[in-house]
Structure formats: structure tokens, C-alpha cells
């Protein structure tokens, strides 16, 4: 077995156990294998081991990789920061976008989503307190959800968050609980938000305990990433990833 195959079976087992401890069905949790800064070969190895959902953070890196893997039946998730003037390849190429944090971006994705493609599944990224991270403030989420609900070709699926870096699982848990609570409040206000994208390699079990339906796992599947990409001059992929991420 390759490392990737082994890592995948180990994270699947951990997902299953975390779901079980939370009284949830493991089928409710989708593993998004974060393949940013990993070569297409690594995606292929994970695919051979049965993985279908992949996450990318940099458009410029993702598009050629996706082209080279066109024959695979993959589901692509965009999980990086979005520049409002660089939305077209995201609208055209991805199945999910986890990082909507302003109406302008949502509007452009709706306009640019090809008419022949199914609706683009989108999540609102919520910033629960780290000013360096992207995301709407919790009190602005309802307004953005209402705006997205009126747009064609987008399917609003839920909320996403990234807790501040460097927290232990217990501290991260409080952020996951807050996102789940916000989702419940918004559902009580009439929105349908079945998905919660939260949890990364270091804290996904806590996220599953709090209700995550999409966990974004990079290093626990692929191992360490290559050095961060240089910030690109055209702004596609903003290079804001740090070694700690
Ligand atoms: C890189 C990244 C991940 C994966 O992080 P790991 O700690 O390697 O699992 C998840 N979510 C986002 C938004 C990322 O940028």
C-alpha cells in the first residue's frame, strides 16, 4: 500500500469512530482531501484508494492539475480566498465553493456559472474572531445568506469556518460549537443550511463531534505539503498560506 492509501484508511477509521462517539452516521461526513501543493499523482493515488472529493486553495495551481485529471470522476471543492475579479475559473470548474464571504463574489459566481452545469454548491465562510482570516462576521451571515438565496445557479449549502491557527482541539471545539449554533439560528430564521465545513487534520474529530459534514484534510492524507507557492503577480491564488496551515 502507498502511504496515501494507508493514511486514507486511517482517517476514514477515525472519522467513523468520531461519528460513532457523537451518535452520528459516518455517511453524514464527507472527507475533502485537500490536495493543494500536492502533485496530480498524489490525487490519482487517493482516487485509486476510493477518494472522490478534493479541495484546492489556489486557482492557478488547481486548474492545470484538474485538466490533467479530467478523466477522473472527482468532485472539486474550492477552499481558498477568492478575489472578486478572478471568479470565472472557479465558477466554471468547481463543484463546491466553501469560502464565500461577500455578495459581490456570490453575484459573480452566479453570473459566470455555465448554464449547462448543475448549480454551484456554496458555503458562507464565517469569521469567528481571527481578524487575519477571511469570512463574514456572524451577525452579517443572515444578510449574505439572503442575498445568495436570491441568486440563480448557486445552491447555498451551509457554513464554513477556520478557527485561529495553533489552538488545541478543545479550544477549536468552541469555534465549531459556535458555527453549529449560528447554523441553527439561521435555520430557525428560515434558511436551509445542511452543511458545516469545519475541521482540518489536527482537529477534525472535534469538528465531527460538533456536527461537521465536510472535513478538509490535507496533511493527514497526503503528508507534508511542498513549500508555499509564491504570491502570484496576477493574484490568482494569493499565497497567503503559511507553514502552519
Ligand atoms: C490547507 C487547508 C486545509 C488542510 O489543512 P491540513 O491541516 O493539512 O489538514 C483545510 N482547510 C483550508 C481552508 C486549508 O487552506
Amino acid at each position: 500500500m502507498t502511504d496515501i492509501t494507508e493514511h486514507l484508511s486511517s482517517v476514514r477509521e477515525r472519522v467513523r469512530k468520531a461519528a460513532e462517539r457523537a451518535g452520528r452516521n459516518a455517511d453524514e461526513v464527507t472527507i475533502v482531501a485537500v490536495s493543494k501543493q500536492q502533485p496530480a499523482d498524489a490525487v490519482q493515488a487517493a482516487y485509486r484508494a476510493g477518494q472522490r472529493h478534493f479541495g484546492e486553495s489556489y486557482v492557478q495551481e488547481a486548474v492545470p492539475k484538474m485538466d490533467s485529471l479530467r478523466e477522473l470522476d472527482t468532485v472539486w471543492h474550492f477552499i481558498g480566498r477568492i478575489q472578486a475579479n478572478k471568479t470565472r475559473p472557479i465558477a466554471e470548474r468547481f463543484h463546491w465553493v466553501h469560502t464565500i464571504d461577500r455578495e459581490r463574489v456570490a453575484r459573480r459566481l452566479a453570473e459566470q456559472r455555465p448554464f449547462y452545469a448543475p448549480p454551484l454548491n456554496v458555503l458562507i465562510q464565517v469569521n469567528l474572531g481571527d481578524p487575519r482570516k477571511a469570512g463574514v462576521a456572524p451577525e452579517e451571515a443572515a444578510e449574505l445568506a439572503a442575498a445568495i438565496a436570491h441568486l440563480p445557479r448557486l445552491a447555498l449549502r451551509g457554513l464554513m469556518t477556520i478557527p485561529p491557527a495553533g489552538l488545541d482541539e478543545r479550544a477549536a471545539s468552541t469555534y465549531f460549537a459556535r458555527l453549529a449554533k449560528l447554523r441553527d439560528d439561521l435555520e430557525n430564521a428560515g434558511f436551509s443550511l445542511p452543511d458545516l465545513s469545519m475541521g482540518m487534520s489536527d482537529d477534525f474529530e472535534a469538528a465531527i463531534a460538533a456536527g461537521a459534514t465536510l472535513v478538509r484534510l490535507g496533511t493527514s492524507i497526503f503528508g507534508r505539503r511542498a513549500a508555499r507557492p509564491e504570491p502570484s503577480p496576477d493574484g490568482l491564488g494569493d499565497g497567503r498560506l503559511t507553514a502552519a496551515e
Side-chain angles (χ1 to χ4, degrees):
M1 281 208 293
T2 66
D3 283 355
I4 290 172
T5 308
E6 270 174 52
H7 292 166
L8 261 175
S9 59
S10 141
V11 297
R12 284 181 190 133
E13 184 61 14
R14 288 172 63 190
V15 165
R16 196 186 61 71
K17 289 197 171 128
E20 194 172 273
R21 283 195 299 275
R24 304 180 58 204
N25 190 327
D27 304 346
E28 295 167 21
V29 183
T30 298
I31 296 172
V32 178
V34 177
S35 49
K36 68 179 179 208
Q37 296 163 262
Q38 300 289 350
D41 285 357
V43 173
Q44 218 143 17
Y47 187 89
R48 281 196 297 274
Q51 181 63 32
R52 292 295 177 269
H53 291 257
F54 293 90
E56 289 283 338
S57 299
Y58 308 99
V59 175
Q60 186 172 255
E61 177 198 347
V63 166
K65 200 185 296 182
M66 292 160 90
D67 281 341
S68 76
L69 297 166
R70 216 194 312 257
E71 72 285 6
L72 305 186
D73 182 25
T74 41
V75 180
W76 290 102
H77 297 246
F78 190 77
I79 62 169
R81 222 180 243 234
I82 304 173
Q83 295 209 335
N85 58 343
K86 298 289 187 331
T87 48
R88 186 175 293 280
I90 299 173
E92 292 180 349
R93 309 293 301 265
F94 283 82
H95 304 90
W96 288 75
V97 177
H98 293 220
T99 44
I100 307 267
D101 65 359
R102 54 207 192 278
E103 189 182 343
R104 172 149 183 256
V105 163
R107 240 187 302 115
R108 291 181 63 91
L109 289 171
E111 282 162 16
Q112 293 167 343
R113 181 67 169 171
F115 67 87
Y116 52 80
L120 181 61
N121 297 300
V122 301
L123 304 165
I124 293 173
Q125 181 174 359
V126 181
N127 185 331
L128 294 171
D130 183 343
R132 290 163 304 174
K133 298 280 182 199
V136 290
E139 54 281 6
E140 292 164 0
E143 193 184 333
L144 182 54
I148 293 171
H150 285 105
L151 290 170
R153 295 194 288 281
L154 300 186
L156 179 59
R157 297 297 300 265
L159 306 178
M160 177 271 206
T161 201
I162 309 173
L167 299 182
D168 63 19
E169 257 199 300
R170 180 194 288 261
S173 282
T174 64
Y175 287 83
F176 301 147
R178 284 168 63 196
L179 194 71
K181 168 76 164 58
L182 178 61
R183 185 270 299 277
D184 293 348
D185 291 348
L186 291 170
E187 289 217 312
N188 288 334
F191 296 102
S192 168
L193 299 165
D195 285 298
L196 290 176
S197 169
M198 55 190 196
M200 301 169 37
S201 291
D202 289 337
D203 55 20
F204 68 92
E205 283 139 321
I208 290 169
T213 63
L214 295 156
V215 291
R216 310 178 308 266
L217 307 181
T219 45
S220 56
I221 294 173
F222 295 111
R224 292 196 48 192
R225 285 181 279 278
R228 63 179 260 178
E230 289 303 310
S232 59
D234 68 356
L236 277 176
D238 60 12
R240 66 186 270 282
L241 182 75
T242 62
E245 278 179 297

